[in-house]
Amino acid sequence: MIQFAINKTVFLQALNITKRAISSKNAIPVLSTVKIDVTTDGISLTGSNGQISIENYISVQDENAGLLVSQTGSILLEAAFFINVISSLPDIVVDFTEIEQKQVVLTSGKSEITLKGKEAELYPRLQEVPATTPLVLETKLLKQTINETAFAASTQESRPILTGVHFVLSNHTELKTVATDSHRMSQRKLQLEKAGDNFNVVIPSRSLREFTSVFTDEVETVEVFFSNNQLLFRSDHISFYTRLLEGTYPDTDRLIPAEFNTSAVFDTANLRHAMERARLLSNATQNGTVKLEIKDGSVTAHVHSPEVGKVNEELDALEVTGQDLVISFNPSYLIDSLKAVASEQVKVSFISPVRPFTVVPNKEDESFIQLITPVRTN
Amino acid sequence: MIQFAINKTVFLQALNITKRAISSKNAIPVLSTVKIDVTTDGISLTGSNGQISIENYISVQDENAGLLVSQTGSILLEAAFFINVISSLPDIVVDFTEIEQKQVVLTSGKSEITLKGKEAELYPRLQEVPATTPLVLETKLLKQTINETAFAASTQESRPILTGVHFVLSNHTELKTVATDSHRMSQRKLQLEKAGDNFNVVIPSRSLREFTSVFTDEVETVEVFFSNNQLLFRSDHISFYTRLLEGTYPDTDRLIPAEFNTSAVFDTANLRHAMERARLLSNATQNGTVKLEIKDGSVTAHVHSPEVGKVNEELDALEVTGQDLVISFNPSYLIDSLKAVASEQVKVSFISPVRPFTVVPNKEDESFIQLITPVRTN
């Protein structure tokens, strides 16, 4: 029967990471528990919602954890409740002792709390990822790529494949990441320093967003392992499993235009704020659009809501080239795309009022490109 | 037709205070608007939900406001929407110009936003409070008194009078403030430095909580005016009106015990944390109680939930006097009462397991007293 002592703060941090995979409202009741496996080497904390699974390891070698294992074993405890109890304990050290009938006694200072646990055997088996050669990725770069693309994935289940982000590795070092909800698209290309086996997978965007919360920037690199229907991101302490989406991702390369008739360069923050003002009123219009007018080198934004009022604004374009143009679109898509751009200036390029336009950082680097589909008005 | 220019930040702050009285879901649609009255002396911003009304004044004398009034008038604008628009404007100065058909043009930098307003005559008349001599109260002291009592008021509408806080001024300087939901009671007595006319009113606790948010500690004193069914708190810039509750407040003086059989002194924070741990498990019990056991000078807390587990904890009592005792109660009431106590130590005094017990700061000062009713178990 399990017995160990541990630093409360370290234990709580690890539990809170594992908890990110745990949903209290799961169709499979046992998935509301955290699985605690204690060996002489350390403690492993496992949580899962069936889509994502997180395994978090605290080693007896970790000096901050002050982990002393006296007896080993495995047990399940209601995650949310257990974490609340741990966080409420008075002392910096928690003693964790399993007693008869899968009960756990937590002792800390003069406080003694007994909790009822469950047999570890009730926990479903996390699928094993085959021991292939992993791809090694810089965490920061991977998180940036996710932030640049995942937001453009669909949130509607009508075309499930579009709720994922398409990750493709070709020629062992060329990584392409793309997401689209069919109204807008975001694509980042990266040249990897370390080569890997080519792959072509669609990762749920929700899993990727969790990934960015779980792996802090202190984790320098993650190893990526693939199986048929699962992917594993692994660092020293954390194993993050996610299911992959099944099906063929649409061909997005053919959507990216090569030639344009009009282009304008903006300060990214200025353009975003102007679009945020426009959105306040466009939300109250029938088609929810802002009208952009490019004429004689100046750019103006217009919204007219018969109910609420109107916006007229001259945008500070830093550079305008090509033909005059009037185009209408949902300002939310442009706002989202500008949030994803780290560069201080962006270049927006158009073909015609009815063809998608592109948003790229205003640099020679064409490895990050976004597409937004206009809305036909009148 | 109105025309003025104003500093955006000052305007926004004033609007956000007024907005606290405005609910977007009001049965009277016009109450979702803010009323703007512009005179040559300044601007008044009025919001109301029918229970509370807030009038906020920005003077042309206020240097930070940079207020320049060119033309006067009154208008109504959708509050939430108008505030969003103001906060989104690009420049530090906003120009506000009324045009035909109750429209308002806001100009800031290169942005021009036109909003549809309404006739000011549509706004209901706020009841006038008679020009009696006001009571002058120190804001900080009044806010403290509210924080010490209002939480104990009922949130249930079954006995509406108990949703208020009873304020009584006797002998022109003796202020008594008391609230109870019939399970617990909190009473603060104050000796005022400045005398006032005696009064006896019941103020909705919700209004008092809004009061504490609206009046910052920078406002040194407030004047309090009474009418039959309304009360006005007034500072230099802000007039805060609230409806009073009708009916007779129950006699609470007779509830306060004079003699006790058992007393214990605790560190306030320690006792609160112990009760928070107890509550984690008592929430999962049938009657939601913690059992306190005072025996031979030591105090222990116990919760037993057949479903979830149990708590046993020795409390660090600093002093225990009187008879042994076992008493059960809802730990939430004790936690709330301890949150209201600023003193580092509290004294808890008991008569018997079935009579209310008191919580007072452990000082000679008996002007703040709380009562908690125990729960009879078995």
Side-chain angles (χ1 to χ4, degrees):
Chain A
M1 291 202 289
I2 304 169
Q3 192 175 2
F4 67 88
I6 192 167
N7 174 286
K8 176 185 135 180
T9 310
V10 171
F11 195 34
L12 199 55
Q13 278 171 352
L15 283 166
N16 277 324
I17 289 173
T18 299
K19 192 188 166 194
R20 297 199 73 94
I22 302 175
S23 156
S24 56
K25 291 173 195 155
N26 202 295
I28 307 168
V30 75
L31 290 184
S32 67
T33 65
V34 57
K35 180 158 169 266
I36 302 179
D37 295 296
V38 183
T39 67
T40 48
D41 297 333
I43 302 179
S44 157
L45 304 168
T46 305
S48 177
N49 61 11
Q51 306 289 315
I52 303 171
S53 304
I54 298 176
E55 227 180 279
N56 203 338
Y57 188 71
I58 305 169
S59 164
V60 291
Q61 311 289 339
D62 179 347
E63 284 185 14
N64 295 325
L67 175 60
L68 283 172
V69 175
S70 314
Q71 287 186 67
T72 62
S74 295
I75 199 163
L76 308 183
L77 290 165
E78 279 303 315
F81 186 65
F82 178 60
I83 293 171
N84 281 342
V85 168
I86 293 292
S87 87
S88 82
L89 292 176
D91 202 58
I92 50 164
V93 174
V94 181
D95 279 299
F96 182 113
T97 308
E98 184 187 345
I99 58 170
E100 75 282 354
Q101 294 181 315
K102 292 289 159 194
Q103 292 185 93
V104 166
V105 179
L106 301 166
T107 319
S108 177
K110 290 181 182 171
S111 182
E112 184 192 288
I113 300 185
T114 310
L115 300 178
K116 306 210 167 182
K118 289 195 186 109
E119 280 282 354
E121 283 65 37
L122 297 170
Y123 205 78
R125 199 163 181 77
L126 295 173
Q127 275 151 293
E128 301 288 330
V129 167
T132 52
T133 319
L135 178 74
V136 179
L137 282 176
E138 211 183 306
T139 312
K140 218 169 145 182
L141 207 60
L142 178 55
K143 285 174 74 171
Q144 188 198 322
T145 306
I146 292 170
N147 288 334
E148 287 172 339
T149 55
F151 73 90
S154 174
T155 53
Q156 317 252 304
E157 291 297 331
S158 52
R159 282 184 72 189
I161 196 81
L162 294 188
T163 63
V165 180
H166 194 199
F167 276 74
V168 183
L169 187 70
S170 354
N171 302 324
H172 302 286
T173 55
E174 292 169 17
L175 180 65
K176 186 181 82 172
T177 311
V178 60
T180 179
D181 63 3
S182 79
H183 301 291
R184 34 91 179 266
M185 190 193 96
S186 185
Q187 174 188 290
R188 159 61 83 180
K189 285 183 174 176
L190 277 177
Q191 188 67 40
L192 300 185
E193 290 181 7
K194 292 186 189 170
D197 292 341
N198 288 347
F199 57 80
N200 184 329
V201 295
V202 184
I203 309 174
S205 64
R206 204 177 297 169
S207 301
L208 291 170
R209 275 194 290 274
E210 279 305 326
F211 171 86
T212 62
S213 308
V214 166
F215 287 84
T216 61
D217 288 345
E218 290 149 34
V219 180
E220 278 188 27
T221 58
V222 285
E223 295 176 319
V224 191
F225 296 85
F226 298 94
S227 73
N228 268 340
N229 57 3
Q230 233 185 9
L231 179 150
L232 162 63
F233 292 114
R234 194 171 74 181
S235 73
D236 278 0
H237 298 296
I238 302 174
S239 296
F240 182 103
Y241 298 82
T242 170
R243 276 200 338 140
L244 295 173
L245 291 174
E246 285 172 39
T248 308
Y249 202 80
D251 175 17
T252 52
D253 288 341
R254 62 176 182 83
L255 300 174
I256 298 172
E259 291 188 17
F260 301 97
N261 296 316
T262 312
S263 276
V265 175
F266 298 94
D267 178 280
T268 310
N270 280 353
L271 181 58
R272 177 174 157 191
H273 294 144
M275 288 299 119
E276 284 167 346
R277 284 188 285 279
R279 182 169 58 179
L280 286 173
L281 277 91
S282 74
N283 278 341
T285 64
Q286 214 179 353
N287 56 25
T289 61
V290 58
K291 187 163 81 183
L292 211 68
E293 212 172 328
I294 302 179
K295 198 178 175 186
D296 302 335
S298 79
V299 186
T300 50
H302 307 273
V303 182
H304 181 69
S305 152
E307 307 265 304
V308 178
K310 58 193 173 196
V311 173
N312 290 303
E313 178 154 355
E314 191 185 330
L315 304 179
D316 280 313
L318 304 170
E319 195 190 310
V320 180
T321 52
Q323 303 167 9
D324 288 354
L325 176 95
V326 178
I327 189 167
S328 292
F329 55 89
N330 180 335
S332 290
Y333 291 140
L334 185 51
I335 292 166
D336 287 350
S337 83
L338 295 169
K339 282 184 190 169
V341 172
S343 150
E344 277 183 25
Q345 295 180 7
V346 285
K347 186 175 185 177
V348 187
S349 304
F350 307 89
I351 301 170
S352 84
V354 296
R355 300 281 298 278
F357 60 94
T358 63
V359 178
V360 297
N362 189 31
K363 294 189 271 189
E364 287 311 295
D365 175 19
E366 282 294 313
S367 59
F368 181 36
I369 186 163
Q370 304 188 63
L371 276 187
I372 296 171
T373 306
V375 174
R376 265 183 229 228
T377 54
N378 78 14
Chain B
M1 291 203 288
I2 305 168
Q3 192 175 1
F4 67 87
I6 192 166
N7 175 286
K8 176 186 135 179
T9 310
V10 172
F11 195 34
L12 199 55
Q13 277 171 354
L15 284 165
N16 277 323
I17 288 173
T18 300
K19 192 188 166 195
R20 297 199 73 94
I22 302 175
S23 155
S24 57
K25 291 173 197 158
N26 203 293
I28 307 169
V30 76
L31 290 185
S32 67
T33 66
V34 57
K35 180 158 168 266
I36 302 179
D37 295 296
V38 182
T39 68
T40 48
D41 297 332
I43 302 179
S44 158
L45 304 168
T46 304
S48 178
N49 61 11
Q51 306 291 313
I52 303 172
S53 304
I54 298 175
E55 228 179 278
N56 203 337
Y57 188 71
I58 305 169
S59 164
V60 291
Q61 311 288 340
D62 178 348
E63 286 185 13
N64 295 325
L67 175 59
L68 283 172
V69 174
S70 315
Q71 288 186 65
T72 62
S74 295
I75 198 162
L76 307 183
L77 290 165
E78 280 303 315
F81 186 64
F82 178 60
I83 293 172
N84 281 343
V85 168
I86 294 292
S87 86
S88 81
L89 292 175
D91 202 58
I92 51 164
V93 175
V94 181
D95 280 299
F96 183 112
T97 308
E98 184 187 344
I99 58 170
E100 75 281 356
Q101 295 182 315
K102 292 289 159 193
Q103 292 185 92
V104 166
V105 180
L106 302 166
T107 320
S108 177
K110 292 182 179 170
S111 181
E112 183 193 289
I113 301 186
T114 309
L115 300 179
K116 307 208 166 185
K118 289 195 185 111
E119 280 282 356
E121 283 66 38
L122 296 171
Y123 205 78
R125 198 162 182 77
L126 294 174
Q127 273 152 293
E128 302 288 330
V129 166
T132 53
T133 320
L135 177 75
V136 178
L137 282 176
E138 212 183 305
T139 312
K140 219 170 144 181
L141 208 59
L142 179 56
K143 285 173 73 171
Q144 189 198 323
T145 306
I146 293 169
N147 288 335
E148 287 172 339
T149 55
F151 74 90
S154 175
T155 53
Q156 317 251 303
E157 291 297 330
S158 53
R159 283 184 72 188
I161 196 80
L162 295 188
T163 63
V165 180
H166 193 199
F167 277 74
V168 183
L169 187 71
S170 356
N171 301 325
H172 301 285
T173 54
E174 291 169 18
L175 180 65
K176 185 181 83 171
T177 310
V178 60
T180 179
D181 63 2
S182 80
H183 300 291
R184 36 80 182 275
M185 189 192 96
S186 184
Q187 174 187 292
R188 158 61 82 179
K189 285 183 174 176
L190 278 177
Q191 187 68 39
L192 301 184
E193 291 182 5
K194 293 186 186 167
D197 292 340
N198 287 346
F199 57 78
N200 184 330
V201 295
V202 184
I203 310 174
S205 64
R206 205 178 295 170
S207 301
L208 292 170
R209 274 194 291 273
E210 279 305 327
F211 171 87
T212 61
S213 307
V214 165
F215 288 83
T216 60
D217 289 344
E218 290 150 35
V219 180
E220 277 188 28
T221 59
V222 286
E223 296 177 319
V224 190
F225 298 84
F226 298 94
S227 73
N228 269 339
N229 57 4
Q230 233 183 7
L231 179 150
L232 162 62
F233 292 113
R234 194 171 73 181
S235 72
D236 279 359
H237 298 296
I238 302 174
S239 296
F240 181 103
Y241 298 81
T242 170
R243 275 197 340 137
L244 295 172
L245 291 175
E246 285 172 39
T248 309
Y249 201 81
D251 175 16
T252 51
D253 288 342
R254 62 175 181 84
L255 300 175
I256 298 173
E259 291 188 15
F260 302 96
N261 296 317
T262 312
S263 275
V265 174
F266 298 94
D267 177 281
T268 310
N270 279 354
L271 181 58
R272 176 174 157 191
H273 294 144
M275 288 300 119
E276 284 167 346
R277 284 187 285 278
R279 181 168 60 180
L280 286 173
L281 277 90
S282 74
N283 278 341
T285 65
Q286 214 177 355
N287 55 25
T289 61
V290 58
K291 186 163 80 182
L292 213 67
E293 211 172 328
I294 302 179
K295 197 178 176 188
D296 303 335
S298 79
V299 185
T300 50
H302 307 274
V303 181
H304 181 68
S305 152
E307 307 266 304
V308 177
K310 57 192 174 196
V311 173
N312 290 303
E313 179 154 355
E314 191 185 330
L315 305 179
D316 280 312
L318 303 169
E319 194 189 311
V320 180
T321 53
Q323 303 166 9
D324 288 355
L325 176 94
V326 178
I327 190 167
S328 292
F329 56 88
N330 181 335
S332 290
Y333 292 140
L334 185 50
I335 293 166
D336 287 350
S337 84
L338 296 169
K339 283 184 189 169
V341 171
S343 150
E344 278 182 26
Q345 294 180 8
V346 284
K347 187 174 185 177
V348 187
S349 304
F350 307 88
I351 302 170
S352 84
V354 297
R355 299 281 299 278
F357 61 93
T358 63
V359 178
V360 297
N362 189 31
K363 294 189 271 188
E364 286 312 295
D365 176 20
E366 281 295 312
S367 60
F368 181 36
I369 186 165
Q370 303 188 63
L371 276 188
I372 295 170
T373 306
V375 174
R376 263 183 231 227
T377 52
N378 75 14

